[in-house]
Amino acid sequence: MWAAVEQLADDGTTVLLTTQYLEEADRLADRIAIIDHGRLIAEGTPDELKANLRGDLVEFRVTDPGQRDRATAAITPLGQATPGAGRDGQRITLPAPAGAATLHTVLRLLDDAGIAIDDATLRRPTLDEVFLALTTPGSPVTTRSAP
């Protein structure tokens, strides 16, 4: 079915697709409208919506899940929003407004604190993260009101 949708779009046909699966929307859509409680809260290309989160994200995984709280405390000097922890208790994600420089600082702070990590990466936010940021009360993400 998705191949047929892609072929129609490639041929110039406008396709209106409604989905709760933002990964497929990211892959298939040229433009996305996010609706929350019946109101249009944001719209744009996938890249435009991701840019609303104000930059990239640093994500790292501590080797020992018991070190997660220490790792979170070690990176608090960055003054970023509260880092998010993954379901596995080992992965931590935080905003990286300075891109690679933020990643470098995170690695230095973790090393200074003696916290071992399995991996670290600088990445763009997902549309799922955009949706959660836009629909979570008190989120710092700027939204546009629908006309």
Side-chain angles (χ1 to χ4, degrees):
M1 181 169 108
W2 297 126
V5 170
E6 287 180 279
Q7 185 61 52
L8 286 168
D10 289 345
D11 291 343
T13 302
T14 298
V15 178
L16 177 62
L17 172 70
T18 61
T19 183
Q20 294 178 11
Y21 301 106
L22 296 176
E23 187 175 307
E24 68 188 20
D26 195 5
R27 184 173 57 85
L28 294 169
D30 292 329
R31 296 194 57 77
I32 296 172
I34 297 177
I35 299 171
D36 185 35
H37 294 94
R39 292 190 58 229
L40 177 65
I41 60 170
E43 58 96 21
T45 67
D47 284 340
E48 289 169 346
L49 293 170
K50 292 172 187 178
N52 281 341
L53 284 187
R54 298 187 182 113
D56 295 329
L57 300 170
V58 166
E59 185 172 87
F60 63 92
R61 185 175 187 274
V62 294
T63 303
D64 176 3
Q67 296 293 309
R68 188 189 71 210
D69 291 341
R70 281 191 60 230
T72 300
I75 60 176
T76 56
L78 290 172
Q80 302 298 335
T82 305
R87 291 182 200 159
D88 67 358
Q90 292 175 269
R91 190 160 302 282
I92 298 172
T93 304
L94 70 151
T102 303
L103 174 60
H104 175 75
T105 302
V106 165
L107 295 175
R108 183 180 48 78
L109 291 169
L110 293 170
D111 188 53
D112 289 350
I115 298 167
I117 59 171
D118 290 337
D119 68 352
T121 187
L122 180 67
R123 66 174 178 79
R124 300 281 318 265
T126 65
L127 281 179
D128 285 316
E129 290 165 328
V130 169
F131 179 80
L132 288 173
L134 290 170
T135 58
T136 301
S139 170
V141 176
T142 303
T143 61
R144 281 190 337 183
S145 296

